[in-house]
Amino acid sequence: MYELIVKNGRIIDPSQDMDVVGDLLIREGKIESIVPGGLNDARADCEARPSLDASGSIVCPGFIDLHTHLREPGYEEKETIATGTLAAAIGGFTTVCCMPNTNPAIDTLATIDHVRRAAEAMASIRVLPIAAITKKREGKELTEMGELARAGAIAFSDDGRPVPNSRIMRYALEYSRMHGRPIISHCEDIELAKDGVMNESVVAVKLGLKGIPAAAEDIIVAREIALLEAFGGRLHIAHVSSTGAVEMIRRAKEKGLALTAEATPHHLTLTEDWVAGQRGNWGLEFPYLGAMAPYNTDTKVNPPLRAAADARALIQGLVDGTIDAVATDHAPHTIVDKQCEYDQAEFGISGLETALASLMILVHRGEIDANLLVRKLTIGPARVMDLPFGTFKKGAPADVAIFNPDEEWTVEPGRFASKGKNTPLAGMRLRGKVVCTIVAGKVVYGERARGGMATRLETGQAVNVQ
Amino acid sequence: MNRKDVLDLDDFSPEEIQLVFETADAMKEVLSRPIKKVPALRGKTVVILFYETSTRTRVSFELAAKNLSADVVNITAATSAVAKGESLVDTIRTLQALGADMIVIRHEQSGAPYLVAQHLSGSVLNAGDGWHAHPTQALLDMYTMREKLGRVADLSVVIVGDILHSRVARSNVWGLSKMGARVTLCGPPTLMPMLEKRGSISDLPEVRVEYDIDRALDGADVVMGLRIQKERQDGGLLPSLREYVQLYQLTQERIARAKPGALVMHPGPMNEGIEIAPDVARCSQSVIEDQVSNGVAIRMALLYLLAGYKGHQL
C-alpha cells in the first residue's frame, strides 16, 4: 500500500467541470480526494506521505489516445510496445488504444493475447488493443469479433484502409450491436485517393504531387453514416480531416446517431503548405528554428494535411462537440522509410511526444481554452471507448498527467523515446511540457527525475519529482 | 548567380533569368566558333544522373558540360546500383564521395532533386522531376521566344495538351509569369490541374484556363504543344486519343487563329499526328529545332553561372 499527494497544482477535471488550485490525494492507486486550496501542511499525516509539488502546473487525468500505432508484432524496427508506451508516458498519456495493422494483424485471439501479454511485461502505461474488423484486414470476412471483444479488444478497425465493401461494413456495424464496441472507420475512397500523397489542391499542383481529394474522405464518411442510420451499431470516425466530414458528423449527431469522432493534433495545427516547406499556419506564425525544404516526407500523412479552412473547421468541431477526442494517430517509421522520394515515403507522423505541446499552440493563441483541450484528451476519449479512466472522481484509477503550460522546449526527434523520429515539428520551439505522468498511482515518467534522459522509471514506487 | 542549385523557377528573380539569357548569348557565340570549347569547367566533374529515358535533355547537358571542358560521367538507373535497390540518398552520398562537383538529375518522382540537394554539397541541376519542374526547358523556351520575337514580356503564350502531368507547363507558368508574359493553359478538363481553389500561401501564379482551343489560340504570340502519352487513355483520363485529336490537335487551321507569325513550339518528344499535325511541326512558324539548339546554350550558361562565374564574358 502506498499513498501520494500532488500538491498545489491547477487541477482540471472536465468530467466534473472542475478547475481549482489544490492538492490531489491518491491512495492505493485510486483517486482519494481533491482538496481545493490544499491540505494543511502541518498535519502529521500529510508529512508522512510522499508528495509531488505541482505549483504552476496543470494537474489533470492522464491522457487517453484512441489511435496509436505501436507496430508490434511485426514492425519492431519502427516501434515496440516498450518504446511506444514510454513515448506515450512522456507525452502525458496513461492509456493508448493500439491499432491492429501489425504483421500479423491483430485479428485472432492469439495475436490479441500476444499484445496483451507483451504490454503487461513491457508497457509503461495501459495498452488497450484494437482488433481488425476483417480477417487480415483484407475487407472480405469479419473477424471473430464477439470472442475478440471478450478477450479484450476495445474496438475494431482496419485502420490504414477502409472496409471497401459496403456490405461487409454493414455487417460489421450490425455485429457491433451485439458486442457494443465501436467500429472505427478509416474513411478513404481507395480508387479516388489512388496513388495520392498529399491534399489535392493548388499546392499539390505546384509541387507536381498527386492529390488525395477531400471528397475521398467525405464519400466514405457519408457511406458510414448512411449505413449506421439504416442498420444501427456503434461507429467511430478516425482522424477526421475535411470540412465536409465535420459537417456530416455534426448533422448525424444532431439526428442522434451513435457515432463519435476524433481529430489529430497535426490536422488541427498544420496545413498542406507545410509540404511546400512553408511552416506557416493559417495566419498564425509558428515559432521555429531553421527553414524547411519542400517535399519533407515527415509532412506525408494519411489523411493528408489539408487546407487552412479544414483546420479551422476541425477546431470548430472540437468546440461544438462534433469532434469528441483528440487522437494522435502516432505512426512511427524508420529513417529509411522516410528519407526517400516523397512518392515513396511511408505515411505517418510520430506524434505522442509532441501532442500536448502542439495542441497548446491553440490554447496560447486563444482558439480553445485549456479545459476544452484537457476534455478532448481525457473524458472525451474515455466516453468514446466507455472506459473508467479520464476522470478524478473518487475511486477512479489514479491516472494523472502533470504539465507546465508555459515551459518552452525545442523538439529534438533524436531524443524521442519513440523509435519514430518522423515529425515535421523538428527544431521548433513549443510551449507546454508534460513533467510527470502517473498510472494507477505510480509515477511512470518524471521530467526532473530523469535528469534530461528519457528512461523508464521503476514502476510501483512513488518518486519525489522535485 | 547567387545560388547553389537550380531546382525550379519559382525562386528565380526576373533579373536572374535575364542574366541567364545574356550568358546564353555569350555561349551561343562560343558555339559558333570553329572550336566550340572553353576551359571554364576544366577539372570539374559533372555527373548526369538520369532515372528516366531521355535523348535531347541528356545529350544537351552532356554537350553543354563538355563544351565547358568539364569531365562528364553519365549514369542511368538501369546500369547503376539503383537497379540493385540502392536508395537515392545513398547514391548521392556515393557520388559525393567520388568527387562529383555538380549533379544533373532527372527523376520520375516530383521533388527528388530537392532530396539530392540536401545531401550534396555541390550544385544540383534539375533536368526534370515528375510532374513538378523542368526549369532548363522553360528557360530555353523563353530564350527562344526572346530570340525570335525580341521579348518575353507581354507575350500571349498558349500551352496546349496534358497540363496535369506536365513539368514543362509548370516551369513555363513560373518563368513566363515572372517575365511578364500572359499564360493560357488549354486542354481537356481531366488533364487540367485543379486551379480554382486558391488562397494558400503556396499558390502558383495566376493563369487563364481555357477548354476550347479555338478561343485559347485567338491572338496568341506563341503556341506550345505538349506530348500526349498513350497511357492517359488507358488510365481513363481520355475517352480516346481519337477524340483528343479531334478536339485539341494543333492543326494549320487552328494555328491560323493565332497572330500572324506566331511561334509553334514543342518540348519534344513529339507524337506527330496526335497532339500536333505533321505539317504544323515542320511549318515555317515552327521553332522546335531552334529550341533544341538553344537548349545547349542555356545549359552551358547555367553550368557556368553555378560554377561561380559572375559575368557572361568568355
Side-chain angles (χ1 to χ4, degrees):
Chain A
M1 173 176 141
Y2 57 90
E3 298 170 318
L4 181 65
I5 307 175
V6 180
K7 298 178 68 67
N8 296 321
R10 176 182 166 193
I11 299 172
I12 296 180
D13 178 12
S15 76
Q16 309 179 71
D17 290 319
M18 177 180 287
D19 185 351
V20 296
V21 173
D23 293 354
L24 176 71
L25 276 61
I26 296 167
R27 181 193 289 269
E28 289 181 39
K30 293 188 172 15
I31 300 295
E32 184 182 341
S33 61
I34 290 166
V35 182
L39 293 164
N40 182 345
D41 283 351
R43 281 167 54 182
D45 60 342
C46 300
E47 284 173 352
R49 302 192 194 191
S51 68
L52 303 174
D53 183 359
S55 305
S57 288
I58 290 175
V59 177
C60 62
F63 306 146
I64 298 167
D65 191 12
L66 297 178
H67 196 139
T68 311
H69 295 276
L70 291 178
R71 304 293 188 209
E72 200 176 332
Y75 302 107
E76 291 83 358
E77 75 283 7
K78 295 176 193 276
E79 193 81 287
T80 63
I81 288 173
T83 57
T85 57
L86 179 56
I90 291 170
F93 292 90
T94 52
T95 301
V96 298
C97 304
C98 64
M99 281 294 175
N101 59 336
T102 47
N103 186 17
I106 304 175
D107 61 352
T108 59
L109 287 183
T111 40
I112 206 162
D113 202 44
H114 170 81
V115 171
R116 282 168 53 103
R117 273 187 288 117
E120 269 167 39
M122 314 289 282
S124 308
I125 59 160
R126 299 175 204 282
V127 175
L128 304 175
I130 296 168
I133 297 171
T134 63
K135 288 173 186 153
K136 297 183 184 173
R137 298 171 55 249
E138 286 176 345
K140 291 176 184 151
E141 291 174 70
L142 294 185
T143 55
E144 293 166 329
M145 282 195 209
E147 258 189 357
L148 288 165
R150 282 187 194 166
I154 199 70
F156 295 90
S157 181
D158 279 359
D159 187 62
R161 296 177 196 155
V163 176
N165 183 324
S166 304
R167 180 171 52 82
I168 301 295
M169 188 62 188
R170 169 199 171 155
Y171 296 156
L173 281 168
E174 285 181 327
Y175 217 69
S176 73
R177 299 169 72 156
M178 175 262 289
H179 57 67
R181 307 312 312 169
I183 303 295
I184 303 177
S185 175
H186 167 113
C187 295
E188 179 183 5
D189 182 312
I190 298 282
E191 285 296 326
L192 196 52
K194 196 169 185 181
D195 299 331
V197 295
M198 70 169 292
N199 188 39
E200 182 160 333
S201 67
V202 179
V203 184
V205 173
K206 174 182 187 288
L207 294 173
L209 293 173
K210 186 144 174 23
I212 301 173
E217 178 170 339
D218 299 350
I219 285 165
I220 303 298
V221 171
R223 182 194 75 169
E224 312 303 41
I225 291 171
L227 291 172
L228 181 69
E229 189 162 17
F231 307 112
R234 175 69 184 84
L235 174 67
H236 178 72
I237 306 288
H239 44 50
V240 177
S241 74
S242 74
T243 306
V246 173
E247 286 170 358
M248 283 185 275
I249 294 163
R250 183 179 293 129
R251 281 201 299 274
K253 285 190 161 187
E254 283 164 8
K255 282 186 188 173
L257 298 180
L259 86 165
T260 50
E262 70 190 32
T264 70
H266 46 272
H267 289 115
L268 285 159
T269 57
L270 314 182
T271 66
E272 59 187 356
D273 292 308
W274 283 55
V275 185
Q278 306 267 0
R279 292 214 265 195
N281 169 298
W282 30 281
L284 300 187
E285 286 292 315
F286 262 87
Y288 70 90
L289 297 176
M292 187 169 76
Y295 303 98
N296 181 337
T297 55
D298 289 336
T299 61
K300 183 174 171 182
V301 64
N302 189 15
L305 299 178
R306 300 217 190 257
D310 296 300
R312 268 187 234 112
L314 290 175
I315 293 169
Q316 183 54 41
L318 272 189
V319 172
D320 69 19
T322 304
I323 306 291
D324 300 87
V326 174
T328 65
D329 194 2
H330 174 75
H333 288 292
T334 67
I335 191 159
V336 176
D337 297 329
K338 283 290 194 179
Q339 201 182 72
C340 57
E341 297 86 333
Y342 205 86
D343 286 340
Q344 258 163 266
E346 297 275 4
F347 289 99
I349 291 174
S350 179
L352 285 169
E353 288 166 82
T354 54
L356 175 83
S358 61
L359 293 162
M360 282 301 290
I361 291 167
L362 300 177
V363 174
H364 292 308
R365 298 281 171 177
E367 302 277 338
I368 59 174
D369 66 30
N371 280 273
L372 183 79
L373 175 57
V374 171
R375 174 182 294 276
K376 300 298 176 180
L377 287 164
T378 57
I379 191 65
R383 285 183 182 148
V384 169
M385 294 292 186
D386 196 19
L387 302 174
F389 316 127
T391 176
F392 280 160
K393 285 185 179 155
K394 184 175 168 67
D399 294 356
V400 184
I402 306 173
F403 66 95
N404 182 330
D406 293 312
E407 186 176 333
E408 283 197 18
W409 60 290
T410 301
V411 180
E412 295 171 86
R415 299 181 61 179
F416 280 2
S418 169
K419 287 190 180 184
K421 315 301 181 191
N422 47 305
T423 172
L425 302 175
M428 290 187 53
R429 294 284 294 169
L430 297 179
R431 205 169 130 210
K433 191 155 192 9
V434 174
V435 293
C436 184
T437 307
I438 298 168
V439 176
K442 298 163 194 170
V443 174
V444 294
Y445 167 70
E447 165 71 14
R448 288 178 183 80
R450 72 186 174 130
M453 285 291 293
T455 53
R456 184 160 172 247
L457 298 176
E458 280 300 309
T459 53
Q461 193 173 358
V463 174
N464 195 330
V465 172
Q466 276 295 356
Chain B
M1 205 161 58
N2 187 23
R3 58 169 61 239
K4 175 168 112 49
D5 311 302
V6 175
L7 303 175
D8 191 2
L9 293 185
D10 65 344
D11 61 352
F12 267 70
S13 66
E15 295 72 26
E16 226 175 350
I17 293 172
Q18 190 61 35
L19 174 65
V20 175
F21 290 166
E22 286 165 13
T23 310
D25 288 340
M27 295 302 168
K28 281 203 87 160
E29 188 275 317
V30 169
L31 290 171
S32 70
R33 295 177 191 170
I35 297 171
K36 44 192 179 187
K37 207 174 183 82
V38 289
L41 295 190
R42 198 169 57 190
K44 300 273 186 197
T45 302
V46 175
V47 174
I48 300 179
L49 177 60
F50 271 51
Y51 286 78
E52 270 186 352
T53 55
S54 162
T55 306
R56 74 205 69 220
T57 305
R58 196 187 56 71
V59 173
S60 178
F61 264 112
E62 181 166 353
L63 291 175
K66 284 180 168 167
N67 291 340
L68 294 169
S69 305
D71 295 312
V72 179
V73 179
N74 264 293
I75 303 174
T76 54
T79 59
S80 67
V82 171
K84 297 178 185 168
E86 186 174 57
S87 75
L88 179 58
V89 170
D90 285 342
T91 301
I92 297 310
R93 287 194 181 126
T94 303
L95 294 173
Q96 168 107 35
L98 287 168
D101 295 299
M102 293 188 187
I103 290 184
V104 176
I105 181 167
R106 168 164 292 187
H107 200 286
E108 70 274 24
Q109 293 181 11
S110 299
Y114 289 79
L115 185 64
V116 174
Q118 282 167 42
H119 291 92
L120 188 79
S121 56
S123 292
V124 177
L125 269 130
N126 182 359
D129 64 322
W131 311 344
H132 168 246
H134 196 347
T136 60
Q137 179 71 42
L139 286 167
L140 74 88
D141 289 342
M142 291 190 290
Y143 185 71
T144 306
M145 293 175 207
R146 172 181 172 269
E147 184 180 75
K148 301 291 175 187
L149 300 175
R151 67 186 201 286
V152 178
D154 299 322
L155 293 180
S156 167
V157 180
V158 183
I159 307 176
V160 184
D162 181 358
I163 309 295
L164 179 64
H165 302 97
S166 176
R167 54 193 174 217
V168 175
R170 282 175 179 76
S171 283
N172 266 298
V173 164
W174 278 112
L176 288 165
S177 301
K178 283 177 188 275
M179 299 309 281
R182 297 185 309 279
V183 181
T184 300
L185 303 177
C186 179
T190 47
L191 296 180
M192 188 67 71
M194 173 61 79
L195 292 166
E196 278 137 42
K197 285 189 187 167
R198 308 187 68 86
S200 156
I201 54 176
S202 314
D203 276 354
L204 278 167
E206 292 276 356
V207 291
R208 180 166 76 114
V209 173
E210 185 61 75
Y211 301 126
D212 182 305
I213 191 168
D214 292 330
R215 271 210 299 264
L217 291 182
D218 209 21
D221 296 293
V222 178
V223 182
M224 190 185 296
L226 298 175
R227 176 181 168 79
I228 291 289
Q229 293 177 324
K230 199 180 163 298
E231 304 92 85
R232 304 305 169 215
Q233 181 181 336
D234 305 337
L237 289 164
L238 287 175
S240 69
L241 285 180
R242 186 190 149 275
E243 180 168 276
Y244 181 86
V245 169
Q246 297 291 320
L247 298 177
Y248 291 101
Q249 187 184 69
L250 296 178
T251 59
Q252 287 289 5
E253 194 186 11
R254 285 181 172 138
I255 297 296
R257 299 188 74 95
K259 281 190 189 152
L263 303 182
V264 172
M265 302 179 85
H266 194 295
M270 285 186 283
N271 281 316
E272 287 183 55
I274 305 289
E275 71 267 11
I276 188 165
D279 57 338
V280 172
R282 290 176 183 79
C283 72
S284 60
Q285 289 165 260
S286 166
V287 294
I288 295 169
E289 280 159 29
D290 301 82
Q291 288 174 270
V292 176
S293 310
N294 285 337
V296 178
I298 282 287
R299 287 166 182 132
M300 285 172 74
L302 288 170
L303 290 168
Y304 179 81
L305 291 167
L306 283 176
Y309 292 95
K310 299 288 178 205
H312 39 84
Q313 297 300 314
L314 288 162

